[in-house]
Amino acid sequence: MSKISEVVQRARAAFNSGKTRPLQFRIQQLEAVRRMIKEREKDIVGALTADLHKNEWNAYYEEVVYVLEEIEYMIKKLPEWAVDEPVEKTSQTQQDECYIHSEPLGVVLIIGTWNYPFTVTIQPMVGAIAAGNAVVIKPSELSENMANLLATMIPQYLDRDLYPVIDGGIPETTEVLKERFDHILYTGNTAVGKIIMTAAAKHLTPVTLGLGGKNPCYVDKDCDLDIACRRIAWGKFMNSGQTCVAPDYILCDPSIQNHIVEKLKKSLKDFYGEDAKKSRDYGRMINSQHFQRVMGLMEGQKVAYGGTGDAATRYIAPTILIDVDPQSQVMQEEIFGPVMPIVCVRSLEEAIQFISQREKPLALYVFSLNDKVIKKMIAETSSGGVTANDVVVHTSVHSLPYGGVGNSGMGSYHGKKSFETFSHRRSCLVRPLLNDESLKARYPPSLAKMTRH
Amino acid sequence: MDPFADTLRRLREAFGSGRTRPAEFRAAQLKGLGRFLRDNKQLLQEALLQDLHKSAFEAEVSEIRISQMEIDLALRNLRAWMKDEKVPKNLATQLDSAFIRKEPFGLVLIIAPWNYPVNLTLVPLVGALAAGNCVVLKPSEFSRSTEKILAEVLPRYLDQSCFAVVLGGPQETGQLLEHKFDYIFFTGNPRVGRIVMAAAAKHLTPVTLELGGKNPCYVDDDCDPQTVANRVAWFRYFNSGQTCVAPDYVLCSPDTQERLLPALQRAITRFYGEDPRSSPSLGRIISEKHFRRLRGLLGCGRVVIGGQSDESDRYIAPTVLVDVQETEPVMQEEIFGPILPIVNVRSLDEAIDFINRREKPLALYAFSNSNQVVKRVLAQTSSGGFCGNDGFMHMTLASLPFGGVGASGMGSYHGKFSFDTFSHHRACLLRRPGLEKIYSLRYPPYSPRNLRMLLVAMEARSCSCTLL
């Protein structure tokens, strides 16, 4: 048996032993994650700096804080969530107990990605632990430092059999996908999402896929452009654009394009100074391949700001492209970099059509002071989630499910939804074993009971 | 030549036009379904009689009435279900509007089975239509008479620009599955379930799979054997055993077996008479292939009740087998017929072990006077659903989600769960341009001061992902 097989079998045996069932155990493990984060803060930040040029602030504010909050929320709510949920009874079942009983699924596999390598692995893991599962974690090898850290750090704080970390690249991921799991949560791209679901199909394993897409950002003529551009700049350029819910491109009327450019530029200078390369707060591309890819997207485009990069440091300047042709390469793939194309449309209807003709994105953004515009945009499009008059933040609300639709994914998590995703909600009806006379109406022979129509 | 391309394109265009979005349209479709059932009740009963020798009683309670109830439930609740679901907000989002918007996926494919061809076709259809999708329905080719009505009569009651029935066998279904759907709902066996999910994976199509398994039925020593026998027999032999949630096999001690056997015989005689073959209450096996499969199973263990069969009308007597080995075919595959094997265990622990060594079933049953025993079986096993002291009654509550786990399936439906299954739950946060001063704490350049402020804010509980 391969080492990976052994690790998974051990996790399964540990799950089967029943030790994750008591809430007390799960809460202890969640508290251990919290302790791990607080005690190893420096190491976590160090890994994020090495992988993505994140600083203390980015690390906390864009990654760690989400996880800490999730843990707090879950510890508080778990007793409530784990309890049997009584349901409405019919007249025939009045004397019975009818409820939904939440159970762990068993062994969950979480495959992380590299852009928020801590959150995107640990936040779902926390949900899976809360729901009582064993959890096998496979961090992304592209964020190498975080992967190494998680592999050594997690076993130091959590149960080693139940929550193993599998290190490695594509061969290891392929190997682990041959094993049978009770749920697989994958964050990453569409192409690999299909591979994961195909592998899961062999074992009839349900999946949650957090994929990507081109998240449109419609800026209405009737809006406060200062604030809109500030918020857009913040969400787009954090982590150097490598955020699955970043606004990918802007749609706006040609008459405001230049204003938008000016205001984006102003915000960028306020955030990162004249030369973002010198800013401690500005990120770097994860590797050379992605650096080359994103630099390539700028070719042949009208650059209104930025447009430069440095291969040695994998730095790409915050870049704005204008009058972008929808057929060009930059509008064909998810950018996942600090390049913001602006595509001109002449009306809300045209914007809606533009969006609807394309794959459903993970997020959709609309900026307007006019409620009707917002309502129409939402009503006539689809996406994983929406924020109006801001970006990214819908993903921070615990009570909102986080997930995609169509090409941007399936299933969702965060908060209670995580608990539900990683649980089986089992329908239960318990009746007393009383005298059967009360039920005799249902038994054959039935001829006498049927009135011919 | 792609026989489906035109139909699918037509339905997609209809969806794109927004036709199915208004509540009025959806309600009209649901009312159409209701009329279909009422107008064609006799036709459907005759078809069910033809396909499965289903009695009028069974047709009424397990097919027509259930479907009608789901239609009525959906009509009553449609607008409430369609409403945006407001969610609790944190301190940072107090002034915002946060809600979950339920949206149709788009083009839905429903692949239905033959055993309850009306129920298992219409009930998912109710959910898909209520949720505002366009639907392609692929009824089972095995329940031929019912298939005909679904293909020829049903569409007349629905808006055909948004609904189509496609016919065919495995080959046609395979071809159909090459196309992209926005949701696939499949009821059938696990082998085909894998094929459907693999096909769905190519298009990243989410699925609900209602599959099967061997549903264990534990009978404790502490019980009244006649009451247990009545209940187990009724649920086992209903529809001649061709029910995905039927008790598949019994686990009990040799002592309890001794008491159960005469009780089972009494129940069978009471229900189906001295000659079950002539009882109008007993169904028939759907096809020759399944008949032969089941007849083969009669050779397992030892027949103590029933055991007769007749190929000419695909009749298999209500049968009980004992002295059955785990390795025999009757304990290796889902029986899906009127055969009940009894496997002996020496204790509750052994029964639970036996159950847990096997795939998670769609349903699990435990009979005991002791509530503790029932609860223990529940707590130490897993299954799609569970019923203590009865058969698949849990399915009759629309307030309970109906679905499997592990090899018995994924996803669930019935009642509101159907509507939610066929809807994309879109997270929406609507904010205002105001409060920018507060939000600006989130912007770079970052300073130790900002970080300190954030940490202080976080210490003050409920001030979550705050300043976002």
Side-chain angles (χ1 to χ4, degrees):
Chain A
M1 206 190 333
S2 78
K3 185 154 183 300
I4 285 180
S5 233
E6 268 172 40
V7 161
V8 176
Q9 293 319 313
R10 222 179 9 254
R12 195 165 277 294
F15 174 77
N16 287 341
S17 76
K19 66 172 149 165
T20 63
R21 301 307 190 109
L23 294 194
Q24 200 44 42
F25 177 86
R26 306 181 203 180
I27 290 175
Q28 267 165 15
Q29 295 300 305
L30 294 177
E31 286 168 347
V33 180
R34 183 174 56 195
R35 209 170 49 245
M36 177 181 85
I37 295 174
K38 296 207 160 137
E39 288 175 9
R40 305 294 288 270
E41 185 194 316
K42 278 200 160 54
D43 294 325
I44 295 171
V45 172
L48 291 172
T49 305
D51 286 329
L52 288 146
H53 200 258
K54 294 194 193 199
N55 62 22
E56 213 183 11
W57 174 271
N58 304 132
Y60 233 85
Y61 196 58
E62 292 164 17
E63 295 232 33
V64 171
V65 75
Y66 283 90
V67 179
L68 283 175
E69 294 224 340
E70 188 88 314
I71 294 172
E72 287 314 312
Y73 191 64
M74 286 194 176
I75 290 177
K76 183 166 135 199
K77 293 288 202 175
L78 189 53
E80 190 187 307
W81 295 342
V83 127
D84 290 339
E85 191 188 316
V87 300
E88 198 183 318
K89 300 194 258 203
T90 59
S91 52
Q92 296 170 313
T93 49
Q94 283 302 313
Q95 307 305 322
D96 307 323
E97 291 173 64
C98 305
Y99 55 92
I100 299 172
H101 173 75
S102 286
E103 314 177 331
L105 290 168
V107 182
V108 170
L109 171 65
I110 291 173
I111 301 178
T113 189
W114 52 260
N115 60 341
Y116 290 85
F118 186 75
T119 311
V120 105
T121 315
I122 306 300
Q123 192 167 2
M125 181 185 88
V126 159
I129 292 176
N133 300 285
V135 190
V136 176
I137 301 133
K138 167 67 192 67
S140 168
E141 69 279 14
L142 291 186
S143 39
E144 209 184 314
N145 295 280
M146 181 56 73
N148 291 338
L149 178 63
L150 292 176
T152 49
M153 188 173 66
I154 288 179
Q156 289 168 347
Y157 287 81
L158 300 185
D159 184 299
R160 287 163 188 229
D161 292 328
L162 286 168
Y163 315 113
V165 180
I166 293 186
D167 231 345
I170 295 177
E172 285 74 13
T173 308
T174 309
E175 196 59 37
V176 85
L177 282 170
K178 291 190 186 135
E179 299 294 317
R180 182 178 182 182
F181 294 95
D182 301 295
H183 193 102
I184 298 176
L185 185 143
Y186 166 74
T187 310
N189 68 58
T190 302
V192 178
K194 291 179 182 172
I195 294 172
I196 305 257
M197 189 171 171
T198 304
K202 294 197 174 75
H203 295 292
L204 287 170
T205 299
V207 299
T208 297
L209 304 176
L211 309 176
K214 290 184 76 59
N215 306 319
C217 182
Y218 174 71
V219 181
D220 195 34
K221 279 195 279 193
D222 176 16
C223 90
D224 183 328
L225 277 184
D226 281 316
I227 293 179
C229 292
R230 199 164 196 71
R231 296 181 179 183
I232 292 170
W234 169 72
K236 171 74 188 188
F237 296 96
M238 70 164 73
N239 202 23
S240 206
Q242 298 161 117
T243 306
C244 30
V245 286
D248 187 276
Y249 63 97
I250 289 174
L251 288 170
C252 70
D253 189 275
S255 64
I256 54 171
Q257 185 179 224
N258 287 336
H259 296 303
I260 290 177
V261 170
E262 287 318 303
K263 292 176 194 297
L264 284 174
K265 273 159 78 166
K266 178 176 188 306
S267 291
L268 286 170
K269 287 180 188 162
D270 288 345
F271 294 165
Y272 306 114
E274 286 293 335
D275 179 6
K277 194 164 181 210
K278 300 203 179 94
S279 164
R280 271 201 68 220
D281 303 319
Y282 191 72
R284 296 292 182 270
M285 301 304 292
I286 183 70
N287 63 19
S288 314
Q289 184 211 343
H290 280 284
F291 170 86
Q292 297 297 347
R293 180 185 64 78
V294 176
M295 289 302 293
L297 294 178
M298 298 188 226
E299 272 165 39
Q301 298 292 344
K302 253 197 230 159
V303 176
Y305 187 67
T308 56
D310 171 38
T313 54
R314 300 193 309 274
Y315 160 80
I316 297 183
T319 299
I320 305 170
L321 308 175
I322 53 172
D323 297 327
V324 174
D325 174 6
Q327 304 305 322
S328 56
Q329 190 56 32
V330 75
M331 287 305 293
Q332 301 308 312
E333 59 182 81
E334 185 174 0
I335 294 165
F336 230 64
V339 174
M340 177 65 103
I342 304 181
V343 174
C344 291
V345 287
R346 277 166 209 289
S347 64
L348 174 61
E349 284 72 23
E350 198 183 318
I352 289 173
Q353 224 199 356
F354 188 94
I355 293 169
S356 306
Q357 277 166 352
R358 306 166 103 83
E359 294 298 341
K360 296 173 187 176
L362 186 55
L364 186 147
Y365 302 111
V366 47
F367 284 83
S368 178
L369 290 169
N370 184 342
D371 274 344
K372 287 205 177 73
V373 167
I374 294 175
K375 283 190 161 52
K376 191 171 154 82
M377 173 59 82
I378 297 178
E380 296 181 21
T381 58
S382 189
S383 62
V386 177
T387 299
N389 290 324
D390 208 337
V391 296
V392 173
V393 293
H394 62 283
T395 64
S396 73
V397 181
H398 290 299
S399 47
L400 284 175
Y402 171 60
V405 65
N407 269 25
S408 56
M410 60 180 76
S412 57
Y413 66 112
H414 278 191
K416 186 174 186 202
K417 200 75 189 82
S418 282
F419 183 82
E420 287 172 8
T421 290
F422 294 118
S423 298
H424 169 50
R425 300 184 75 216
R426 188 179 189 190
S427 291
C428 299
L429 193 157
V430 181
R431 31 182 42 172
L433 193 57
L434 289 177
N435 190 305
D436 220 34
E437 279 308 289
S438 56
L439 296 175
K440 72 175 178 189
R442 68 186 186 187
Y443 297 137
S446 56
L447 264 175
K449 295 167 205 165
M450 288 305 300
T451 48
R452 281 307 275 170
H453 43 82
Chain B
M1 204 13 266
D2 182 345
F4 307 116
D6 282 339
T7 304
L8 299 183
R9 186 180 41 245
R10 190 166 52 79
L11 257 51
R12 263 203 196 287
E13 270 161 22
F15 182 77
S17 77
R19 211 170 154 75
T20 61
R21 308 306 279 260
E24 294 75 24
F25 177 86
R26 305 182 199 188
Q29 299 309 295
L30 294 173
K31 289 187 182 131
L33 271 187
R35 273 196 321 274
F36 163 74
L37 274 181
R38 282 192 297 278
D39 292 353
N40 298 285
K41 186 162 158 170
Q42 187 168 353
L43 212 60
L44 286 166
Q45 281 179 332
E46 277 159 16
L48 291 166
L49 191 64
Q50 282 274 22
D51 287 331
L52 289 143
H53 199 258
K54 208 172 282 225
S55 64
F57 181 81
E58 280 194 14
E60 179 63 26
V61 310
S62 68
E63 300 254 31
I64 294 170
R65 193 181 306 169
I66 287 191
S67 305
Q68 190 63 61
M69 276 170 45
E70 285 274 339
I71 293 168
D72 292 340
L73 189 75
L75 275 168
R76 261 201 320 276
N77 293 286
L78 184 61
R79 280 164 175 80
W81 292 349
M82 282 174 69
K83 268 209 180 100
D84 290 336
E85 192 185 308
K86 290 206 179 349
V87 298
K89 297 184 280 197
N90 57 29
L91 197 65
T93 47
Q94 275 308 307
L95 300 179
D96 305 324
S97 176
F99 57 90
I100 299 172
R101 160 75 49 96
K102 309 287 172 83
E103 307 180 335
F105 279 107
L107 185 56
V108 167
L109 170 63
I110 295 175
I111 301 176
W114 50 260
N115 58 337
Y116 291 85
V118 174
N119 174 347
L120 298 179
T121 306
L122 294 187
V123 174
L125 183 57
V126 165
L129 292 174
N133 298 285
C134 285
V135 183
V136 173
L137 181 63
K138 164 68 190 75
S140 171
E141 67 276 24
F142 293 108
S143 37
R144 270 194 294 261
S145 304
T146 311
E147 183 198 33
K148 194 159 194 288
I149 299 174
L150 293 171
E152 293 171 13
V153 180
L154 175 59
R156 293 186 223 147
Y157 290 80
L158 300 174
D159 184 323
Q160 294 189 51
S161 68
C162 303
F163 174 79
V165 178
V166 304
L167 303 179
Q171 202 187 13
E172 287 76 16
T173 309
Q175 253 187 314
L176 187 61
L177 283 168
E178 279 168 20
H179 292 270
K180 178 176 178 170
F181 292 92
D182 301 304
Y183 203 92
I184 297 177
F185 186 99
F186 170 79
T187 307
N189 71 55
R191 185 188 63 82
V192 181
R194 287 187 180 84
I195 295 172
V196 170
M197 189 171 170
K202 295 200 173 74
H203 297 289
L204 287 170
T205 300
V207 301
T208 288
L209 305 175
E210 298 271 328
L211 309 176
K214 291 184 74 61
N215 306 319
C217 183
Y218 172 70
V219 180
D220 195 38
D221 289 341
D222 177 14
C223 75
D224 169 51
Q226 192 58 62
T227 306
V228 172
N230 290 346
R231 296 179 186 189
V232 173
W234 190 59
F235 285 98
R236 167 77 283 187
Y237 304 113
F238 194 94
N239 200 27
S240 205
Q242 297 161 114
T243 306
C244 39
V245 283
D248 187 277
Y249 64 96
V250 164
L251 285 168
C252 68
S253 68
D255 278 343
T256 296
Q257 178 177 296
E258 283 316 301
R259 296 184 298 144
L260 261 184
L261 288 176
L264 281 167
Q265 179 65 77
R266 273 195 293 275
I268 290 169
T269 306
R270 171 183 165 183
F271 297 163
Y272 309 111
E274 293 292 339
D275 176 24
R277 181 133 183 240
S278 57
S279 164
S281 304
L282 186 63
R284 293 293 182 271
I285 306 307
I286 185 70
S287 68
E288 266 129 50
K289 175 172 151 213
H290 279 285
F291 171 84
R292 275 184 240 123
R293 178 183 65 80
L294 287 164
R295 193 177 52 190
L297 297 182
L298 292 171
C300 298
R302 181 165 59 92
V303 175
V304 290
I305 298 175
Q308 299 88 354
S309 65
D310 185 336
E311 188 154 7
S312 66
D313 72 340
R314 302 192 302 275
Y315 163 78
I316 296 201
T319 298
V320 177
L321 304 173
V322 297
D323 300 338
V324 165
Q325 299 305 314
E326 219 183 317
T327 47
E328 294 186 79
V330 78
M331 285 308 292
Q332 294 299 312
E333 58 182 79
E334 185 176 358
I335 294 167
F336 228 65
I339 300 171
L340 182 69
I342 302 182
V343 174
N344 290 140
V345 285
R346 284 159 304 185
S347 65
L348 177 56
D349 280 330
E350 200 182 312
I352 290 174
D353 263 341
F354 187 95
I355 292 170
N356 287 338
R357 273 187 281 126
R358 304 166 88 88
E359 293 296 343
K360 294 174 187 175
L362 186 55
L364 203 150
Y365 303 106
F367 287 82
S368 176
N369 283 327
S370 160
N371 198 266
Q372 244 181 348
V373 167
V374 170
K375 291 292 164 70
R376 221 187 114 193
V377 176
L378 171 60
Q380 298 185 309
T381 59
S382 188
S383 62
F386 176 90
C387 189
N389 292 326
D390 210 354
F392 43 87
M393 279 306 289
H394 59 290
M395 273 195 64
T396 64
L397 273 80
S399 53
L400 284 174
F402 177 61
V405 65
S408 56
M410 58 183 77
S412 61
Y413 71 122
H414 280 187
K416 180 168 194 266
F417 301 104
S418 295
F419 181 87
D420 283 340
T421 287
F422 289 108
S423 301
H424 165 51
H425 299 218
R426 190 180 190 190
C428 298
L429 183 68
L430 308 187
R431 341 191 91 153
R432 312 252 152 253
L435 294 182
E436 189 60 3
K437 260 200 142 51
I438 297 183
Y439 299 142
S440 56
L441 273 172
R442 69 189 184 186
Y443 300 136
Y446 304 127
S447 67
R449 181 174 164 276
N450 282 14
L451 186 56
R452 266 200 303 281
M453 286 185 62
L454 170 67
L455 294 178
V456 163
M458 278 177 53
E459 291 305 309
R461 282 293 169 128
S462 78
C463 197
S464 57
C465 279
T466 86
L467 325 173
L468 277 180

